[in-house]
Amino acid sequence: MDSHGRGERQEPENRQRVVWAVVGTDIGPMLLAATHDGLVNVVFHVTDSVREKTVAGLASRLGAEPVEAPGSPLLAEAIRQFAAYFAGELHDFELPLDWSLISGFNRQVLRELASGVPYGAVVGYGDLARRVGRPGGAQAVGAAMGANPLPVVVPCHRVVESDGGLGGFGGGLETKRKLLALEGVLPEPLF
């Protein structure tokens, strides 16, 4: 028996459980997925086809069939914090994160971004590369941002070009503009 009084046979199944829900936000529907270890995936602009592709990808990568469970305790705090963030009431996500969808240099860069670039601030791709000991690695940082499985929580929208350009963004440049406007970095879009 483990500390929760369950038999040992159940523990691996519980650890691998993947739950997901689609939540409405000011930038459109987002899919949040979590495991026993924490939030594992955040996906922008969820349509039926994006949802199907995401759920199939999670099943393949995590080895468990994801279950739609908007009421799951594994998602409750993430859903609450996303609502508070988009309402302008939360500046720092405090959620357990499951980093299993990313590894190596990309994980190193994203962890530095998550801990070192606060709400309302931005960092250049090259600056972030220097912070992780890869001066000249701006393109590699850009690739890491594109591979980020946890956007918003791991704030890849805060990484911009050194000349003031927005740079790329997996959720689309309009979404990046809206997130930076929400955080007070850019003026609110007129339309």
Side-chain angles (χ1 to χ4, degrees):
M1 295 269 178
D2 65 18
S3 62
H4 299 288
R6 294 187 298 254
E8 299 240 354
R9 285 191 351 242
Q10 293 180 355
E11 192 58 29
E13 178 184 312
N14 288 340
R15 188 171 27 250
Q16 286 300 321
R17 183 155 190 240
V18 183
V19 295
W20 63 272
V22 174
V23 297
T25 72
D26 291 352
I27 57 171
M30 297 180 76
L31 184 142
L32 307 181
T35 66
H36 179 74
D37 295 327
L39 191 65
V40 71
N41 204 193
V42 175
V43 180
F44 292 113
H45 311 302
V46 176
T47 60
D48 289 347
S49 63
V50 168
R51 183 192 71 239
E52 289 169 16
K53 182 179 175 188
T54 300
V55 170
L58 287 169
S60 167
R61 304 244 347 245
L62 299 175
E65 191 61 39
V67 177
E68 183 175 14
S72 171
L74 296 177
L75 288 169
E77 186 59 17
I79 291 170
R80 187 194 73 73
Q81 287 190 31
F82 266 81
Y85 171 82
F86 282 106
E89 299 163 359
L90 178 83
H91 292 183
D92 298 306
F93 286 92
E94 293 185 19
L95 294 169
L97 301 178
D98 179 336
W99 292 92
S100 62
L101 294 179
I102 198 129
S103 61
F105 176 76
N106 289 356
R107 184 187 289 194
Q108 180 186 1
V109 170
L110 292 171
R111 283 183 178 270
E112 173 59 31
L113 175 63
S115 65
V117 184
Y119 184 97
V122 293
V123 65
Y125 292 93
D127 293 336
L128 192 52
R130 280 188 286 284
R131 288 188 192 190
V132 296
R134 285 272 299 267
Q139 284 188 315
V141 166
M145 296 307 104
N148 181 7
L150 294 163
V152 183
V153 179
V154 178
C156 52
H157 61 278
R158 297 180 190 154
V159 183
V160 297
E161 294 175 349
S162 58
D163 65 3
L166 285 181
F169 191 63
L173 288 183
E174 188 55 34
T175 299
K176 188 171 188 172
R177 279 189 198 94
K178 287 179 180 178
L179 291 169
L180 291 172
L182 173 69
E183 295 187 8
V185 175
L186 292 174
E188 286 288 342
L190 296 177
F191 49 89

mmCIF file of all heavy atoms in Angstrom, residues 105 108-109 112 125-138 141:
data_model
loop_
_atom_site.group_PDB
_atom_site.id
_atom_site.type_symbol
_atom_site.label_atom_id
_atom_site.label_comp_id
_atom_site.label_asym_id
_atom_site.label_seq_id
_atom_site.Cartn_x
_atom_site.Cartn_y
_atom_site.Cartn_z
ATOM 1 N N PHE A 105 18.095 21.053 -24.457
ATOM 2 C CA PHE A 105 18.278 22.496 -24.539
ATOM 3 C C PHE A 105 16.936 23.228 -24.466
ATOM 4 O O PHE A 105 16.817 24.248 -23.776
ATOM 5 C CB PHE A 105 19.000 22.865 -25.848
ATOM 6 C CG PHE A 105 19.139 24.348 -26.060
ATOM 7 C CD1 PHE A 105 20.080 25.083 -25.350
ATOM 8 C CD2 PHE A 105 18.336 25.010 -26.974
ATOM 9 C CE1 PHE A 105 20.206 26.451 -25.533
ATOM 10 C CE2 PHE A 105 18.462 26.376 -27.172
ATOM 11 C CZ PHE A 105 19.400 27.101 -26.449
ATOM 12 N N GLN A 108 15.814 23.485 -20.959
ATOM 13 C CA GLN A 108 16.675 24.426 -20.224
ATOM 14 C C GLN A 108 16.249 25.871 -20.505
ATOM 15 O O GLN A 108 16.109 26.680 -19.590
ATOM 16 C CB GLN A 108 18.134 24.205 -20.639
ATOM 17 C CG GLN A 108 19.117 25.108 -19.940
ATOM 18 C CD GLN A 108 20.536 24.956 -20.505
ATOM 19 O OE1 GLN A 108 20.787 24.192 -21.438
ATOM 20 N NE2 GLN A 108 21.455 25.705 -19.933
ATOM 21 N N VAL A 109 16.029 26.189 -21.772
ATOM 22 C CA VAL A 109 15.628 27.545 -22.162
ATOM 23 C C VAL A 109 14.256 27.885 -21.579
ATOM 24 O O VAL A 109 14.051 28.974 -21.034
ATOM 25 C CB VAL A 109 15.608 27.689 -23.701
ATOM 26 C CG1 VAL A 109 14.955 28.992 -24.131
ATOM 27 C CG2 VAL A 109 17.016 27.597 -24.254
ATOM 28 N N GLU A 112 14.382 28.576 -17.851
ATOM 29 C CA GLU A 112 14.947 29.907 -17.604
ATOM 30 C C GLU A 112 13.904 30.980 -17.894
ATOM 31 O O GLU A 112 13.754 31.934 -17.137
ATOM 32 C CB GLU A 112 16.196 30.135 -18.460
ATOM 33 C CG GLU A 112 16.757 31.547 -18.392
ATOM 34 C CD GLU A 112 17.165 32.006 -16.997
ATOM 35 O OE1 GLU A 112 17.583 31.171 -16.170
ATOM 36 O OE2 GLU A 112 17.063 33.235 -16.721
ATOM 37 N N TYR A 125 15.607 37.171 -27.948
ATOM 38 C CA TYR A 125 16.025 35.794 -28.204
ATOM 39 C C TYR A 125 17.506 35.618 -27.853
ATOM 40 O O TYR A 125 17.893 34.654 -27.199
ATOM 41 C CB TYR A 125 15.807 35.425 -29.678
ATOM 42 C CG TYR A 125 14.351 35.336 -30.076
ATOM 43 C CD1 TYR A 125 13.694 36.442 -30.622
ATOM 44 C CD2 TYR A 125 13.638 34.155 -29.926
ATOM 45 C CE1 TYR A 125 12.356 36.356 -31.007
ATOM 46 C CE2 TYR A 125 12.305 34.067 -30.301
ATOM 47 C CZ TYR A 125 11.671 35.180 -30.840
ATOM 48 O OH TYR A 125 10.352 35.093 -31.204
ATOM 49 N N GLY A 126 18.344 36.570 -28.283
ATOM 50 C CA GLY A 126 19.783 36.495 -28.009
ATOM 51 C C GLY A 126 20.100 36.614 -26.531
ATOM 52 O O GLY A 126 20.989 35.930 -26.014
ATOM 53 N N ASP A 127 19.361 37.498 -25.829
ATOM 54 C CA ASP A 127 19.567 37.652 -24.384
ATOM 55 C C ASP A 127 19.255 36.348 -23.663
ATOM 56 O O ASP A 127 19.985 35.928 -22.756
ATOM 57 C CB ASP A 127 18.691 38.772 -23.824
ATOM 58 C CG ASP A 127 19.094 40.142 -24.335
ATOM 59 O OD1 ASP A 127 20.266 40.311 -24.738
ATOM 60 O OD2 ASP A 127 18.238 41.039 -24.333
ATOM 61 N N LEU A 128 18.173 35.710 -24.059
ATOM 62 C CA LEU A 128 17.793 34.455 -23.419
ATOM 63 C C LEU A 128 18.837 33.373 -23.725
ATOM 64 O O LEU A 128 19.196 32.585 -22.842
ATOM 65 C CB LEU A 128 16.400 34.036 -23.885
ATOM 66 C CG LEU A 128 15.712 32.908 -23.123
ATOM 67 C CD1 LEU A 128 15.687 33.154 -21.618
ATOM 68 C CD2 LEU A 128 14.295 32.705 -23.656
ATOM 69 N N ALA A 129 19.365 33.375 -24.941
ATOM 70 C CA ALA A 129 20.426 32.424 -25.297
ATOM 71 C C ALA A 129 21.649 32.630 -24.401
ATOM 72 O O ALA A 129 22.231 31.658 -23.903
ATOM 73 C CB ALA A 129 20.808 32.582 -26.770
ATOM 74 N N ARG A 130 22.029 33.876 -24.165
ATOM 75 C CA ARG A 130 23.175 34.165 -23.283
ATOM 76 C C ARG A 130 22.905 33.682 -21.853
ATOM 77 O O ARG A 130 23.799 33.163 -21.192
ATOM 78 C CB ARG A 130 23.501 35.655 -23.296
ATOM 79 C CG ARG A 130 24.311 36.079 -24.518
ATOM 80 C CD ARG A 130 24.801 37.518 -24.428
ATOM 81 N NE ARG A 130 23.728 38.493 -24.637
ATOM 82 C CZ ARG A 130 23.201 38.793 -25.832
ATOM 83 N NH1 ARG A 130 23.629 38.204 -26.923
ATOM 84 N NH2 ARG A 130 22.244 39.694 -25.929
ATOM 85 N N ARG A 131 21.676 33.852 -21.383
ATOM 86 C CA ARG A 131 21.337 33.434 -20.016
ATOM 87 C C ARG A 131 21.533 31.945 -19.799
ATOM 88 O O ARG A 131 21.761 31.520 -18.671
ATOM 89 C CB ARG A 131 19.880 33.781 -19.692
ATOM 90 C CG ARG A 131 19.613 35.246 -19.504
ATOM 91 C CD ARG A 131 18.192 35.421 -19.010
ATOM 92 N NE ARG A 131 17.760 36.796 -19.055
ATOM 93 C CZ ARG A 131 16.625 37.207 -18.492
ATOM 94 N NH1 ARG A 131 15.833 36.364 -17.859
ATOM 95 N NH2 ARG A 131 16.285 38.483 -18.573
ATOM 96 N N VAL A 132 21.386 31.159 -20.857
ATOM 97 C CA VAL A 132 21.552 29.708 -20.713
ATOM 98 C C VAL A 132 22.901 29.241 -21.251
ATOM 99 O O VAL A 132 23.102 28.048 -21.497
ATOM 100 C CB VAL A 132 20.391 28.922 -21.367
ATOM 101 C CG1 VAL A 132 19.079 29.217 -20.661
ATOM 102 C CG2 VAL A 132 20.306 29.185 -22.857
ATOM 103 N N GLY A 133 23.834 30.182 -21.420
ATOM 104 C CA GLY A 133 25.193 29.823 -21.804
ATOM 105 C C GLY A 133 25.388 29.510 -23.272
ATOM 106 O O GLY A 133 26.323 28.802 -23.632
ATOM 107 N N ARG A 134 24.507 30.026 -24.145
ATOM 108 C CA ARG A 134 24.645 29.796 -25.584
ATOM 109 C C ARG A 134 24.647 31.118 -26.341
ATOM 110 O O ARG A 134 23.741 31.380 -27.136
ATOM 111 C CB ARG A 134 23.471 28.948 -26.103
ATOM 112 C CG ARG A 134 23.499 27.487 -25.782
ATOM 113 C CD ARG A 134 24.240 26.606 -26.771
ATOM 114 N NE ARG A 134 23.734 26.591 -28.125
ATOM 115 C CZ ARG A 134 22.866 25.708 -28.592
ATOM 116 N NH1 ARG A 134 22.365 24.781 -27.806
ATOM 117 N NH2 ARG A 134 22.501 25.748 -29.848
ATOM 118 N N PRO A 135 25.655 31.986 -26.092
ATOM 119 C CA PRO A 135 25.676 33.233 -26.859
ATOM 120 C C PRO A 135 25.694 32.900 -28.346
ATOM 121 O O PRO A 135 26.330 31.947 -28.758
ATOM 122 C CB PRO A 135 26.960 33.918 -26.412
ATOM 123 C CG PRO A 135 27.748 32.906 -25.683
ATOM 124 C CD PRO A 135 26.826 31.805 -25.260
ATOM 125 N N GLY A 136 24.952 33.648 -29.111
ATOM 126 C CA GLY A 136 24.840 33.343 -30.529
ATOM 127 C C GLY A 136 23.780 32.300 -30.828
ATOM 128 O O GLY A 136 23.606 31.914 -31.984
ATOM 129 N N GLY A 137 23.069 31.861 -29.824
ATOM 130 C CA GLY A 137 22.066 30.807 -30.005
ATOM 131 C C GLY A 137 20.649 31.318 -30.137
ATOM 132 O O GLY A 137 19.707 30.616 -29.765
ATOM 133 N N ALA A 138 20.483 32.532 -30.684
ATOM 134 C CA ALA A 138 19.141 33.110 -30.784
ATOM 135 C C ALA A 138 18.193 32.235 -31.606
ATOM 136 O O ALA A 138 17.025 32.066 -31.236
ATOM 137 C CB ALA A 138 19.204 34.516 -31.376
ATOM 138 N N VAL A 141 17.034 29.361 -29.584
ATOM 139 C CA VAL A 141 16.021 29.820 -28.626
ATOM 140 C C VAL A 141 14.679 29.971 -29.332
ATOM 141 O O VAL A 141 13.638 29.575 -28.798
ATOM 142 C CB VAL A 141 16.453 31.132 -27.941
ATOM 143 C CG1 VAL A 141 15.294 31.788 -27.211
ATOM 144 C CG2 VAL A 141 17.602 30.863 -26.978
#
